[in-house]
Amino acid sequence: MAKKNRIEIPEEIAAEVLFQSNRTCVCREKKPVQIHHIDEDPANFEADNLAVLCFDCHRDTQIRGGFDRKLDSAQIRRYRKDWLERIANKREREHGPLTLKPQFMKNDIRAVKHVQIKESSEEQLYSIDAEYAQFKFNDVQAEAELNSRVSSFISKIIDDFRTEASARLQDKIKMRDELSALGWDSLSIVHRISLLTPDLLSIEFVFQTYIAGAAHPNSVTRTLNFRFDPLKQIELQDVFEPSTPYLEALSEYCVIELHSLQPSRWHDPIQRAEDLKIRQDKWIATGTAPVAANFQNFVFVNEGMKFFFDAYQVGSYAEGRYEVFVPFNYLKSMLSDQISQRRP
Ligand SMILES: [Zn+2]
């Protein structure tokens, strides 16, 4: 077996693992111990992947061939589960209940994989190219809940697209045969994780759809926000105290920002900036009016929130999507407790 490069386990993670196991091997013999990576990947510091083993037990994990039964990962996990529970129970009996959660366990939330969906149908004349993230953290139930929320959010978009693409089949065939046009629909989904802390997660999705025969593709932004501990999906109304005039405040802020952003996307920026000094742009005024629907697409970022305005909400297709950053400093007095305690 090739020798793996040793990668130092971060000190606080090692300390937590040793503490939970009471510096004792899963075989329960009081012998010198080391921390073992169950999957043998020295870079995997997930709590689930680390076990405290004595040198004898560690040797038993390395058995290849022969008649000795190897100490494999399933056995290690089984022994460890039992042992950690017994230690925790014993401590609770002898010293009372735990009041502090282990720190690193709470921090141990990460995006672990990017799921890719590629699908193409020659019969129904469409293709799909999507990707999204899945997450891993110490709370198994919350992890499953979060991952299923993200994946079902994407599945719904894909299912709807597939249904519509199939419903347009006759039109597409006609386009292809009679107009020799490309009778083909496509959907692409990309995502960006705007923020991932032990307290908050924000994901931004862009769905780009092209419908056969359309003049141009259409881009739609959607966002998902969660708070942790306990896990809860966050909508705009959860961010703010209901009694505060947050919609008016957001509207006011975005109107000013968009008026300063807009001219650079016009053919004559200087003239446009002059015009906007005299009168407000109607499109911006409507798209940022103080109603919740105008501010649904937001993410948390460091020091504030970012709001997205897709083409046609506050401007033309040619102008494209606008993003407005609103600092927490501006929103501070209106934030709900669940957010002001968790904001980055
Ligand atoms: Zn042992």
Side-chain angles (χ1 to χ4, degrees):
M1 189 184 122
K3 200 131 188 102
K4 291 201 180 80
N5 287 333
R6 293 300 325 164
I7 299 174
E8 205 70 35
I9 299 175
E11 207 172 307
E12 68 276 22
I13 295 182
E16 187 59 40
V17 170
L18 288 164
F19 169 77
Q20 286 186 10
S21 64
N22 208 16
R23 298 175 52 81
T24 312
C25 175
V26 295
C27 74
R28 286 135 218 232
E29 293 201 26
K30 200 73 195 160
K31 290 196 273 190
V33 289
Q34 60 177 199
I35 298 176
H36 173 67
H37 297 269
I38 296 177
D39 69 355
E40 306 207 337
D41 173 1
N44 183 350
F45 305 138
E46 302 282 347
D48 181 58
N49 191 47
L50 301 174
V52 171
L53 296 183
C54 72
F55 291 88
D56 291 326
C57 287
H58 187 260
R59 196 174 311 121
D60 288 349
T61 67
Q62 304 298 314
I63 293 169
R64 301 283 186 274
F67 293 106
D68 286 350
R69 181 96 194 187
K70 178 187 168 173
L71 178 57
D72 61 23
S73 49
Q75 294 169 58
I76 296 174
R77 287 203 167 89
R78 182 66 189 91
Y79 275 101
R80 182 186 59 181
K81 182 172 184 285
D82 178 82
W83 186 222
L84 295 185
E85 274 173 19
R86 282 172 196 278
I87 293 167
N89 288 341
K90 182 168 183 282
R91 282 177 174 159
E92 193 153 333
R93 263 197 326 275
E94 293 175 2
H95 308 289
L98 264 179
T99 47
L100 278 177
K101 277 190 182 180
Q103 255 313 301
F104 97 91
M105 297 293 273
K106 188 186 176 230
N107 286 325
D108 201 18
I109 302 165
R110 54 188 88 170
V112 282
K113 66 176 178 184
H114 284 209
V115 180
Q116 278 208 304
I117 299 172
K118 279 185 193 287
E119 184 182 315
S120 182
S121 170
E122 295 289 340
E123 294 82 43
Q124 306 291 323
L125 302 171
Y126 70 79
S127 56
I128 296 165
D129 189 348
E131 47 105 4
Y132 60 93
Q134 294 279 270
F135 299 86
K136 173 140 189 79
F137 51 113
N138 63 306
D139 182 337
V140 181
Q141 217 178 332
E143 175 189 299
E145 166 81 15
L146 172 64
N147 286 333
S148 105
R149 291 235 183 178
V150 175
S151 55
S152 54
F153 172 74
I154 296 293
S155 306
K156 168 96 175 57
I157 304 288
I158 290 179
D159 288 347
D160 289 351
F161 169 79
R162 216 187 263 123
T163 307
E164 287 164 25
S166 303
R168 280 191 295 269
L169 182 60
Q170 292 315 315
D171 294 342
K172 288 186 281 189
I173 291 172
K174 220 168 150 185
M175 249 179 256
R176 200 185 46 185
D177 297 348
E178 291 172 19
L179 305 164
S180 68
L182 186 68
W184 191 272
D185 298 327
S186 69
L187 168 69
S188 109
I189 303 177
V190 293
H191 83 281
R192 185 206 320 234
I193 296 170
S194 317
L195 188 79
L196 178 54
T197 71
D199 299 304
L200 291 171
L201 165 66
S202 283
I203 319 171
E204 171 202 339
F205 295 92
V206 175
F207 309 123
Q208 182 154 297
T209 323
Y210 179 76
I211 301 302
H216 53 66
N218 198 28
S219 258
V220 174
T221 307
R222 287 289 175 267
T223 58
L224 289 182
N225 296 283
F226 299 91
R227 62 150 221 233
F228 295 124
D229 212 20
L231 178 76
K232 185 178 181 291
Q233 194 165 344
I234 299 283
E235 308 293 349
L236 187 71
Q237 70 268 19
D238 303 315
V239 179
F240 300 98
E241 275 304 318
S243 59
T244 61
Y246 66 89
L247 288 170
E248 288 74 15
L250 288 174
S251 170
E252 217 171 286
Y253 195 95
C254 292
V255 164
I256 296 171
E257 281 295 297
L258 288 165
H259 276 90
S260 81
L261 290 169
Q262 196 216 50
S264 68
R265 300 196 187 179
W266 279 52
H267 56 275
D268 188 347
I270 295 165
Q271 180 59 48
R272 184 63 188 164
E274 286 301 315
D275 291 350
L276 289 180
K277 279 180 193 160
I278 308 161
R279 55 174 191 85
Q280 227 186 26
D281 181 275
K282 271 195 190 134
W283 217 331
I284 292 177
T286 317
T288 59
V291 292
N294 283 336
F295 301 95
Q296 290 307 308
N297 287 317
F298 67 89
V299 290
F300 295 106
V301 292
N302 276 326
E303 306 294 322
M305 296 169 73
K306 206 194 268 181
F307 289 85
F308 301 102
F309 303 97
D310 284 328
Y312 303 119
Q313 186 178 344
V314 295
S316 66
Y317 180 81
E319 286 168 68
R321 183 179 87 168
Y322 284 100
E323 299 179 18
V324 175
F325 169 76
V326 185
F328 280 133
N329 259 344
Y330 175 79
L331 302 168
K332 194 157 62 183
S333 63
M334 295 176 288
L335 294 175
S336 64
D337 287 346
Q338 55 170 319
I339 295 305
S340 59
Q341 288 158 12
R342 290 178 166 87
R343 72 185 179 86

